[in-house]
Amino acid sequence: PDMYGIRETVLDGKRPDAHIKSTEGIVCIDSKFSLDNYARMLATEDPAEKQKFKKDFVADVRRCLDKIAADYVCPDKGSAAFAFAYIPSESVYYFLLNEAYELLLHYSRAGVQVVSPLTLSAKIELIRAGIQAKKLSEKAEEVKNDLISIKRRFDEIDDKWRVFFGAHLKNALLQAEELDKSYKRLRDEFERISKIPEK
Protein backbone atom coordinates (compact mmCIF):
# COMPACT_ATOMS: atom_id res chain seq x y z
CA PRO A 1 0.00 0.00 0.00
CA ASP A 2 2.86 2.44 0.59
CA MET A 3 4.14 1.88 -2.95
CA TYR A 4 1.13 3.23 -4.87
CA GLY A 5 -1.71 5.75 -4.65
CA ILE A 6 -5.07 6.44 -6.31
CA ARG A 7 -6.04 10.04 -7.19
CA GLU A 8 -3.39 11.49 -4.87
CA THR A 9 -1.45 14.70 -5.41
CA VAL A 10 2.11 14.13 -6.63
CA LEU A 11 4.75 16.01 -8.63
CA ASP A 12 3.99 19.58 -7.55
CA GLY A 13 0.22 19.38 -7.36
CA LYS A 14 -0.64 17.00 -10.21
CA ARG A 15 -3.32 14.34 -9.63
CA PRO A 16 -2.97 11.31 -11.90
CA ASP A 17 -5.57 8.57 -11.73
CA ALA A 18 -2.94 6.40 -10.05
CA HIS A 19 0.79 6.33 -9.38
CA ILE A 20 3.42 3.78 -8.42
CA LYS A 21 6.59 4.51 -6.49
CA SER A 22 9.17 2.63 -8.51
CA THR A 23 12.93 2.32 -8.22
CA GLU A 24 13.20 4.89 -11.03
CA GLY A 25 10.80 7.47 -9.57
CA ILE A 26 7.04 7.97 -9.53
CA VAL A 27 5.28 6.26 -12.44
CA CYS A 28 1.99 8.06 -13.14
CA ILE A 29 -0.99 6.35 -14.75
CA ASP A 30 -3.65 8.53 -16.33
CA SER A 31 -6.79 7.68 -18.27
CA LYS A 32 -8.44 10.83 -19.54
CA PHE A 33 -9.38 9.64 -23.02
CA SER A 34 -12.49 10.98 -24.69
CA LEU A 35 -14.05 8.12 -26.62
CA ASP A 36 -16.96 10.11 -28.09
CA ASN A 37 -15.46 10.41 -31.58
CA TYR A 38 -14.41 6.75 -31.50
CA ALA A 39 -18.02 5.75 -30.72
CA ARG A 40 -19.30 8.03 -33.50
CA MET A 41 -16.83 6.47 -35.93
CA LEU A 42 -18.12 2.99 -35.13
CA ALA A 43 -21.76 4.07 -35.31
CA THR A 44 -21.74 5.73 -38.72
CA GLU A 45 -22.00 3.90 -42.02
CA ASP A 46 -20.99 6.94 -44.08
CA PRO A 47 -17.31 6.56 -45.18
CA ALA A 48 -16.68 10.32 -45.16
CA GLU A 49 -18.11 10.70 -41.66
CA LYS A 50 -16.20 7.63 -40.51
CA GLN A 51 -12.94 9.17 -41.74
CA LYS A 52 -13.76 12.51 -40.09
CA PHE A 53 -14.53 10.91 -36.72
CA LYS A 54 -11.38 8.79 -36.99
CA LYS A 55 -9.29 11.92 -37.58
CA ASP A 56 -11.03 13.71 -34.69
CA PHE A 57 -10.44 10.75 -32.36
CA VAL A 58 -6.72 10.61 -33.20
CA ALA A 59 -6.56 14.36 -32.49
CA ASP A 60 -8.27 13.73 -29.10
CA VAL A 61 -5.64 11.08 -28.33
CA ARG A 62 -2.82 13.44 -29.32
CA ARG A 63 -4.13 16.14 -26.94
CA CYS A 64 -4.40 13.63 -24.11
CA LEU A 65 -0.88 12.30 -24.66
CA ASP A 66 0.53 15.84 -24.83
CA LYS A 67 -1.02 16.57 -21.42
CA ILE A 68 0.29 13.34 -19.89
CA ALA A 69 3.79 14.06 -21.23
CA ALA A 70 3.75 17.61 -19.83
CA ASP A 71 2.27 16.73 -16.44
CA TYR A 72 3.76 13.34 -15.60
CA VAL A 73 7.06 12.84 -17.45
CA CYS A 74 9.27 15.16 -15.39
CA PRO A 75 12.22 13.33 -13.81
CA ASP A 76 13.53 16.63 -12.40
CA LYS A 77 10.45 16.66 -10.12
CA GLY A 78 10.74 13.01 -9.09
CA SER A 79 8.86 11.16 -11.81
CA ALA A 80 10.19 8.18 -13.70
CA ALA A 81 11.30 8.83 -17.27
CA PHE A 82 7.95 7.50 -18.45
CA ALA A 83 4.24 7.53 -17.62
CA PHE A 84 1.37 5.28 -18.67
CA ALA A 85 -1.60 6.48 -20.70
CA TYR A 86 -4.24 3.89 -19.87
CA ILE A 87 -6.89 3.04 -22.46
CA PRO A 88 -9.59 0.96 -20.74
CA SER A 89 -10.45 -0.99 -23.88
CA GLU A 90 -8.45 -3.59 -25.79
CA SER A 91 -10.34 -2.79 -29.01
CA VAL A 92 -9.52 0.94 -28.80
CA TYR A 93 -5.89 0.13 -27.94
CA TYR A 94 -5.47 -2.17 -30.94
CA PHE A 95 -7.32 0.28 -33.19
CA LEU A 96 -4.64 2.84 -32.30
CA LEU A 97 -1.88 0.28 -32.83
CA ASN A 98 -3.20 -0.41 -36.31
CA GLU A 99 -4.30 3.08 -37.33
CA ALA A 100 -1.96 5.43 -35.42
CA TYR A 101 1.15 3.36 -34.75
CA GLU A 102 3.59 6.16 -35.65
CA LEU A 103 1.80 8.48 -33.23
CA LEU A 104 2.11 5.94 -30.39
CA LEU A 105 5.76 5.37 -31.29
CA HIS A 106 6.46 9.12 -31.17
CA TYR A 107 4.93 9.45 -27.69
CA SER A 108 6.64 6.31 -26.46
CA ARG A 109 9.97 7.91 -27.32
CA ALA A 110 8.82 10.99 -25.37
CA GLY A 111 8.11 8.81 -22.33
CA VAL A 112 4.36 8.25 -22.66
CA GLN A 113 3.55 4.56 -22.98
CA VAL A 114 0.00 3.82 -24.11
CA VAL A 115 -1.29 0.71 -22.35
CA SER A 116 -4.44 -1.40 -22.30
CA PRO A 117 -5.83 -3.58 -19.49
CA LEU A 118 -3.72 -6.52 -20.68
CA THR A 119 -0.47 -4.64 -21.21
CA LEU A 120 -0.80 -2.47 -18.08
CA SER A 121 -1.03 -5.47 -15.78
CA ALA A 122 2.09 -6.97 -17.34
CA LYS A 123 4.01 -3.68 -17.04
CA ILE A 124 2.95 -3.27 -13.41
CA GLU A 125 4.25 -6.77 -12.75
CA LEU A 126 7.58 -5.73 -14.30
CA ILE A 127 7.71 -2.66 -12.03
CA ARG A 128 6.83 -4.76 -9.00
CA ALA A 129 9.52 -7.26 -9.91
CA GLY A 130 11.99 -4.36 -10.23
CA ILE A 131 11.15 -3.19 -6.72
CA GLN A 132 11.65 -6.69 -5.37
CA ALA A 133 14.93 -6.96 -7.25
CA LYS A 134 16.24 -3.84 -5.56
CA LYS A 135 15.51 -5.36 -2.16
CA LEU A 136 17.43 -8.51 -2.99
CA SER A 137 21.17 -8.11 -2.56
CA GLU A 138 22.54 -11.61 -2.96
CA LYS A 139 20.27 -12.49 -5.87
CA ALA A 140 20.27 -9.09 -7.59
CA GLU A 141 22.19 -10.16 -10.71
CA GLU A 142 20.10 -13.28 -11.19
CA VAL A 143 16.86 -11.30 -10.82
CA LYS A 144 18.10 -8.68 -13.28
CA ASN A 145 18.78 -11.35 -15.89
CA ASP A 146 15.37 -12.89 -15.22
CA LEU A 147 13.70 -9.52 -15.76
CA ILE A 148 15.51 -9.04 -19.07
CA SER A 149 14.34 -12.49 -20.10
CA ILE A 150 10.78 -11.70 -19.01
CA LYS A 151 10.80 -8.42 -20.93
CA ARG A 152 11.85 -10.29 -24.08
CA ARG A 153 9.09 -12.82 -23.52
CA PHE A 154 6.57 -10.05 -22.93
CA ASP A 155 7.62 -8.39 -26.20
CA GLU A 156 7.10 -11.73 -27.95
CA ILE A 157 3.64 -12.05 -26.38
CA ASP A 158 2.77 -8.49 -27.37
CA ASP A 159 3.80 -9.18 -30.98
CA LYS A 160 1.81 -12.40 -31.03
CA TRP A 161 -1.19 -10.65 -29.53
CA ARG A 162 -1.11 -7.94 -32.22
CA VAL A 163 -0.90 -10.58 -34.94
CA PHE A 164 -3.73 -12.50 -33.30
CA PHE A 165 -5.96 -9.44 -32.96
CA GLY A 166 -5.13 -7.99 -36.37
CA ALA A 167 -5.74 -11.26 -38.22
CA HIS A 168 -8.41 -12.78 -36.00
CA LEU A 169 -10.27 -14.22 -38.96
CA LYS A 170 -7.27 -16.34 -39.97
CA ASN A 171 -5.62 -18.83 -37.64
CA ALA A 172 -7.40 -17.37 -34.59
CA LEU A 173 -7.45 -20.62 -32.67
CA LEU A 174 -3.78 -21.41 -33.32
CA GLN A 175 -2.63 -17.94 -32.26
CA ALA A 176 -4.80 -18.02 -29.12
CA GLU A 177 -3.26 -21.31 -28.04
CA GLU A 178 0.27 -19.97 -28.55
CA LEU A 179 -0.57 -16.84 -26.60
CA ASP A 180 -2.04 -18.87 -23.77
CA LYS A 181 1.10 -21.01 -23.51
CA SER A 182 3.35 -17.94 -23.56
CA TYR A 183 1.24 -16.26 -20.90
CA LYS A 184 1.40 -19.34 -18.65
CA ARG A 185 5.18 -19.51 -19.04
CA LEU A 186 5.42 -15.82 -18.17
CA ARG A 187 3.25 -16.27 -15.07
CA ASP A 188 5.38 -19.26 -14.00
CA GLU A 189 8.47 -17.07 -14.30
CA PHE A 190 6.90 -14.38 -12.11
CA GLU A 191 5.86 -16.96 -9.53
CA ARG A 192 9.38 -18.39 -9.50
CA ILE A 193 10.93 -14.94 -9.05
CA SER A 194 8.49 -14.00 -6.30
CA LYS A 195 9.58 -17.06 -4.31
CA ILE A 196 13.24 -16.02 -4.23
CA PRO A 197 13.89 -15.27 -0.53
CA GLU A 198 14.88 -11.74 0.45
CA LYS A 199 18.34 -11.41 1.97
Side-chain angles (χ1 to χ4, degrees):
D2 60 333
M3 298 302 291
Y4 74 94
I6 307 292
R7 299 293 302 154
E8 293 177 1
T9 301
V10 295
L11 307 175
D12 292 343
K14 303 300 181 185
R15 286 177 66 97
D17 291 324
H19 72 273
I20 301 168
K21 295 175 185 172
S22 79
T23 56
E24 303 300 319
I26 295 173
V27 178
C28 294
I29 305 169
D30 211 45
S31 176
K32 291 183 175 64
F33 283 89
S34 170
L35 298 178
D36 294 343
N37 284 315
Y38 181 79
R40 290 181 188 116
M41 179 188 70
L42 294 182
T44 186
E45 296 296 325
D46 182 284
E49 281 189 352
K50 193 174 283 289
Q51 191 62 29
K52 178 196 176 301
F53 290 136
K54 173 183 168 183
K55 184 178 178 182
D56 290 346
F57 174 62
V58 171
D60 292 341
V61 170
R62 186 185 306 273
R63 279 189 293 277
C64 175
L65 298 181
D66 280 337
K67 180 160 178 41
I68 290 172
D71 288 351
Y72 304 126
V73 183
C74 43
D76 56 316
K77 295 179 182 176
S79 81
F82 63 94
F84 293 140
Y86 177 71
I87 299 179
S89 165
E90 294 295 336
S91 61
V92 175
Y93 175 72
Y94 285 100
F95 168 81
L96 289 172
L97 275 182
N98 290 323
E99 300 295 329
Y101 179 76
E102 291 301 321
L103 178 75
L104 298 188
L105 189 60
H106 166 75
Y107 281 99
S108 179
R109 290 175 180 147
V112 180
Q113 298 182 24
V114 177
V115 294
S116 69
L118 177 67
T119 59
L120 177 63
S121 62
K123 289 184 183 246
I124 287 175
E125 284 296 322
L126 287 171
I127 291 171
R128 188 170 72 97
I131 292 168
Q132 289 177 341
K134 188 172 184 182
K135 294 176 181 177
L136 297 170
S137 56
E138 196 171 279
K139 296 276 187 179
E141 194 61 35
E142 181 182 332
V143 171
K144 177 184 167 187
N145 292 336
D146 287 340
L147 290 174
I148 291 169
S149 173
I150 289 170
K151 183 190 180 307
R152 285 192 197 110
R153 290 182 185 182
F154 175 75
D155 289 342
E156 291 171 9
I157 290 172
D158 198 45
D159 289 342
K160 287 177 184 176
W161 180 256
R162 271 187 265 146
V163 169
F164 167 72
F165 192 85
H168 63 280
L169 294 177
K170 293 186 337 184
N171 301 320
L173 182 59
L174 177 64
Q175 291 291 332
E177 288 173 357
E178 288 182 17
L179 177 62
D180 186 55
K181 289 176 187 174
S182 297
Y183 179 78
K184 286 176 181 172
R185 285 195 299 270
L186 181 62
R187 181 156 299 284
D188 290 344
E189 283 292 320
F190 273 119
E191 286 177 4
R192 185 182 68 75
I193 291 172
S194 68
K195 292 177 183 174
I196 296 173
E198 290 189 24
K199 296 290 181 182

